[in-house]
Amino acid sequence: MKRTSYVEIVINNKSSHTNTTYTYGVPDGLADQISIGTRVMVPFGKGNRLIEGYVVDDNIDLAAPTFKIKYIQKILDEENLISKKLIELCKWMREEYLCTYIDAVQCVIPTGISYKSDRKIRLRDDYDSMQQMNTKLSDKQNAVVEVLRSYKHITESSLKQMLSFDPSSTIRSLENKNMVILEDHFKKEVNGLTEKIIRISENLNTFEVMGKLKKNAVKQRQILNYLQENGATQWSELRKNLGVSANLIDSLREKGFIDIEIIEKKRDIFGKEEILKDKIFELTDEQNQIIQEVIPFMINLQYQPFLIHGVTGSGKTEVYMQLIGKVVEQSKEAIVLVPEIALTPQMIERFRSRFGNQIAVLHSKLSLGERYDEWNRIKRGEVKIAIGARSAVFAPFDNLGIIIVDEEHEHTYKSEQNPKYHAVEVAEFRCKQHNAVLILGSATPSLESYYKTEKGLYKRLVMETRYNQNKLPDIHIIDMRAELLNGNKSVFSESLHREILKNLEMGEQTILFLNRRGYSTFISCRSCGYVAKCPHCEISLTYHKNNHFLSCHYCGYKQNPPETCPKCGSKYIKYFGTGTEKIEKMTVELFPNARIARLDLDTTSRKGSMEKIIREIKQGKVDILIGTQMIAKGLDFPNVTLVGVIAADMNLNLPEFRAAERTFQLITQVAGRAGRGQRLGRVIVQTYEPEHFAIQASQNHDFVSFYHQEMAMRESFSYPPFSRLVNIMITGEEEADVIKIANEYATELKYELKGIDLSVQDVIFGPGPAALARINQKYRWQIIIKSKAIDQKVIRGIINTIRSDILKKNNVNNVNISIDINPFNML
DNA sequence: AGCACGCCGACT
DNA sequence: GTCGGCGTGCTC
């Protein structure tokens, strides 16, 4: 006799209490269609309501179940939604990042395909006769019945919208009285785009049919005639040309005159724009060497990470493309990650012109439907290459040959939402699974990656020469303290001013970089010291002159600037600090004949505005471009010969251990925008701390010297890569609750870690208020664990257990505990 | 997250 | 008695 088989299922709801797997029975008829990665509907909870679930283990041995077995009700997709390897990845992420199962699963499927329950409700047909026996109803019940009287069917969610109270308990009481009927109904946000194709039924004698049709059936005749003449026709076309309604089509089908076929359509994310054929460049010796170094690993199907340390403009992209070419030749697949797709339109363009429609593009600017289509093209094997931002690392390929991470040091690869994964770590895991090659590329590698090359975990490949033997730009460091002593109070040093003038004369372009948008960074009262702060956050407000308002860059809050001090009533409100908007205004005043553009979040919020500005720069319609870090990455303007860094030390003194690294990276990246064409570029770096090693090293383009100095600092303070950090953030609107939970958590942590004798090498900081103590109405307390233990698993286990214990014990809905493993942002 | 169950006060 | 509000505990 056949034995029932059992599977483990993850339930799709967000509760931390259901962050586990549940054992379900597989009905005999479905056994061969259900395996790891299948998406199913299962009855769940006391009411046995249907809910979506994902099979994560199969062939479970259940000798003597201690609970009542329920059975899978339905399979949701024709093909397994998730591959076995990606389910493995989800399990790894859950342990690595301490996230829930379902958060991990959501990463590997497209957004919007989940089925959410939205039941339909209607009154019983014999409601009125029943009602006479059951006379009295409460006000709420009456309100619900009123609505149901005017609508035959209504979904739970629309009912909720129409009432001023939450009707769920009322619906339940009416159901218990047998007065309403509930029908299961599920909806999802995204569906494949479809089109109906209409054709005359096979073997239909049109002539005969026409005779049988009634005289007044004019429209029906028209349709049949049209189909007779034109053959199978799309419904949209038929409707447009004949102006016919859907009812008519339905009745013709019921009579058996026509057939309707539904085909899937793809949303076209590129429109009709032409793809120019890319020319394949002659490789330099350096590029060739690198490719020859990597290829053997691809051929031998051997997992190996590489770090390509290549100066800006050394032609890394060409290396990527050639390697991908090889992978595709082997009929394997490739993933390319870029920091932020909107900032790298030029790179996407190059990939498209080289590989054409073999590419799928995944990024956040696409609509849900477009993303769904691109995901499906990958899943079905219609494309071989996926290019995109962080989340593209989950592209559902089965046969990966290579993952490339461009600008691997970028912080955008670290997710700030749950699960707080790092795309490079995920890429490592996937490459190991597939015996694939991992390529990390950067001009300024992260310390962690470079450290791994020193340790032999990654192979290091170096590219030192720029294209056409272009030299790296000359970098001049200007001591702004000296400028001040010489009586120059302007934000432009004398030499920057002079060089800009020179560039204007020569007709060459200039970029001015300041990593802060807005006009003034804070406003303050001179008589009492009041500073305008966001009412929801512990942040000072930035003044935006163009729109004349103060705005909070953390929560988006906006208000008008006060005329007088709200605290003491004085008129002496002063505006301090400088943002890109102010730099723009000063540039206009200083260089009245120059054509000036600004590129930051404020000028690029509208769709297409960024592309427009970039086009104008390329066409030489802009002399001076002012921008935030948006301009630092990937942009290639050959006529830019001068870059001015207005305030290089702006982020140097943030309370963050990566501050120096970020500063070095940013200066180097921005400097790389200069001199990409024939002429030598110049960079002027203004700073109040010219002696800082991060700034000194950037002057000589000397990553290695920066690396050694920074590593010495990291080692003496035991910062990564010499330790591993965990940031536990406790947030909530009630400060007292937040503090209470934070204290409880820290006490437990200290006790437990001591218990396993890790206290010697592990240090717990806090609990205490975070550097940004309040954001969006929420108080923020944190605990930081700095650990040198080689095996982090025990520590993570403890962190996780304590969290679930605390959540269970306190039953807190108003306090959130968020755990960030290897955090990038600890403010 | 849902949902049931149990307890309690308010209201017929 | 019955409704509904709220806290508690469970979900294969």
Side-chain angles (χ1 to χ4, degrees), chain A residues 196-214:
Chain A
K196 284 184 194 141
I197 304 275
I198 295 160
R199 62 167 64 86
I200 293 181
S201 298
E202 262 179 74
N203 307 326
L204 187 81
N205 185 335
T206 324
F207 187 74
E208 211 172 281
V209 168
M210 289 287 200
K212 278 190 204 158
L213 279 175
K214 286 190 186 140

Side-chain angles (χ1 to χ4, degrees), chain A residues 638-813:
Chain A
N639 202 30
V640 170
T641 51
L642 173 64
V643 165
V645 180
I646 304 291
D649 38 53
M650 179 169 272
N651 293 328
L652 210 45
N653 297 307
L654 285 178
E656 240 193 322
F657 73 93
R658 277 184 236 268
E661 189 181 5
R662 294 253 294 185
T663 301
F664 177 81
Q665 285 168 352
L666 218 47
I667 296 176
T668 311
Q669 299 274 328
V670 185
R673 300 310 111 209
R676 294 178 80 89
Q678 301 299 317
R679 282 149 303 202
L680 181 68
R682 294 112 64 215
V683 180
I684 291 184
V685 176
Q686 304 188 151
T687 173
Y688 287 93
E689 285 182 68
E691 62 285 333
H692 193 285
F693 69 88
I695 289 171
Q696 286 288 325
S698 69
Q699 174 168 29
N700 307 315
H701 307 279
D702 191 352
F703 173 82
V704 177
S705 118
F706 168 76
Y707 171 79
H708 289 299
Q709 291 181 76
E710 176 70 8
M711 286 296 274
M713 189 282 281
R714 300 269 179 106
E715 184 158 28
S716 65
F717 291 100
S718 289
Y719 277 125
F722 299 98
S723 66
R724 304 270 255 157
L725 296 179
V726 179
N727 185 16
I728 302 171
M729 189 73 83
I730 297 109
T731 56
E733 291 190 22
E734 285 297 325
E735 193 176 19
D737 292 345
V738 171
I739 295 173
K740 183 180 155 253
I741 300 288
N743 279 325
E744 203 173 311
Y745 206 132
T747 312
E748 280 294 308
L749 263 180
K750 283 172 187 165
Y751 177 80
E752 290 290 336
L753 287 183
K754 206 172 243 162
I756 55 164
D757 200 26
L758 289 168
S759 48
V760 201
Q761 33 182 350
D762 289 73
V763 189
I764 299 170
F765 298 91
L772 300 170
R774 191 166 171 245
I775 291 180
N776 250 329
Q777 312 265 37
K778 288 190 172 125
Y779 292 91
R780 310 167 80 238
W781 273 53
Q782 68 187 158
I783 302 164
I784 293 168
I785 303 168
K786 198 197 260 179
S787 157
K788 286 193 158 187
I790 310 273
D791 184 9
Q792 295 278 316
K793 272 204 177 132
V794 187
I795 298 173
R796 291 199 192 150
I798 290 171
I799 294 170
N800 208 22
T801 314
I802 297 176
R803 173 173 60 176
S804 26
D805 285 353
I806 287 181
L807 287 176
K808 214 177 274 173
K809 196 166 70 192
N810 290 281
N811 194 22
V812 275
N813 303 316

Side-chain angles (χ1 to χ4, degrees), chain A residues 287-298:
Chain A
Q287 288 173 324
N288 228 334
Q289 258 175 32
I290 287 179
I291 290 167
Q292 294 315 320
E293 186 110 17
V294 177
I295 283 178
F297 291 90
M298 294 187 347

Side-chain angles (χ1 to χ4, degrees), chain A residues 117-318:
Chain A
S117 167
D118 193 11
R119 288 182 300 190
K120 283 185 178 165
I121 308 160
R122 64 182 161 90
L123 281 183
R124 263 182 71 130
D125 297 338
D126 53 352
Y127 171 79
D128 285 311
S129 53
M130 282 199 52
Q131 225 258 325
Q132 285 173 356
M133 312 192 296
N134 250 317
T135 39
K136 291 256 167 56
L137 287 182
S138 72
D139 292 352
K140 291 195 175 184
Q141 289 168 335
N142 269 321
V144 170
V145 168
E146 263 329 289
V147 176
L148 293 181
R149 272 187 190 286
S150 33
Y151 296 85
K152 247 201 276 178
H153 282 282
I154 192 164
T155 60
E156 220 169 350
S157 62
S158 9
L159 182 64
K160 200 175 247 171
Q161 272 180 11
M162 299 174 76
L163 297 165
S164 53
F165 58 93
D166 181 354
S168 42
S169 60
T170 315
I171 293 170
R172 224 169 295 132
S173 62
L174 288 170
E175 193 196 8
N176 289 337
K177 289 182 170 213
N178 225 347
M179 295 172 125
V180 298
I181 293 173
L182 295 176
E183 270 169 51
D184 269 323
H185 176 239
F186 294 90
K187 63 176 182 190
K188 50 179 182 168
E189 289 171 83
V190 170
N191 290 296
L193 205 59
T194 55
E195 177 71 66
K196 284 184 194 141
I197 304 275
I198 295 160
R199 62 167 64 86
I200 293 181
S201 298
E202 262 179 74
N203 307 326
L204 187 81
N205 185 335
T206 324
F207 187 74
E208 211 172 281
V209 168
M210 289 287 200
K212 278 190 204 158
L213 279 175
K214 286 190 186 140
K215 261 195 188 142
N216 57 2
V218 184
K219 283 281 181 189
Q220 300 193 24
R221 278 210 180 78
Q222 260 184 19
I223 294 170
L224 290 176
N225 270 329
Y226 190 95
L227 293 175
Q228 181 88 28
E229 276 168 35
N230 298 287
T233 307
Q234 289 192 7
W235 159 235
S236 55
E237 189 189 323
L238 204 61
R239 189 181 44 191
K240 204 173 75 191
N241 290 347
L242 299 180
V244 294
S245 75
N247 293 345
L248 213 53
I249 296 291
D250 279 343
S251 78
L252 280 174
R253 195 203 29 204
E254 272 168 32
K255 289 177 192 157
F257 296 169
I258 56 170
D259 282 337
I260 299 179
E261 185 195 0
I262 294 175
I263 57 158
E264 261 186 67
K265 257 171 69 175
K266 185 183 128 34
R267 300 163 176 94
D268 191 0
I269 59 170
F270 291 116
K272 291 226 161 56
E273 72 185 83
E274 210 178 317
I275 307 176
L276 297 167
K277 201 74 196 142
D278 180 50
K279 60 167 184 262
I280 297 182
F281 290 88
E282 184 89 14
L283 289 181
T284 64
D285 291 346
E286 226 174 37
Q287 288 173 324
N288 228 334
Q289 258 175 32
I290 287 179
I291 290 167
Q292 294 315 320
E293 186 110 17
V294 177
I295 283 178
F297 291 90
M298 294 187 347
I299 290 172
N300 299 332
L301 302 182
Q302 194 180 342
Y303 165 73
Q304 177 62 49
F306 294 90
L307 173 68
I308 301 183
H309 180 199
V311 295
T312 50
S314 58
K316 291 191 285 287
T317 309
E318 186 59 34

Side-chain angles (χ1 to χ4, degrees), chain A residues 50-95:
Chain A
L50 289 180
I51 191 164
E52 193 183 88
Y54 299 84
V55 177
V56 295
D57 271 308
D58 55 4
N59 295 320
I60 297 300
D61 200 17
L62 253 193
T66 55
F67 46 82
K68 200 179 133 247
I69 291 287
K70 292 183 187 177
Y71 285 83
I72 289 176
Q73 221 251 347
K74 191 179 160 194
I75 297 173
L76 282 176
D77 309 278
E78 279 171 36
E79 304 238 330
N80 246 20
L81 190 68
I82 308 171
S83 72
K84 205 171 168 176
K85 282 202 169 84
L86 282 174
I87 292 286
E88 261 175 48
L89 172 67
C90 291
K91 291 179 182 171
W92 171 79
M93 282 174 74
R94 179 166 175 267
E95 285 192 0

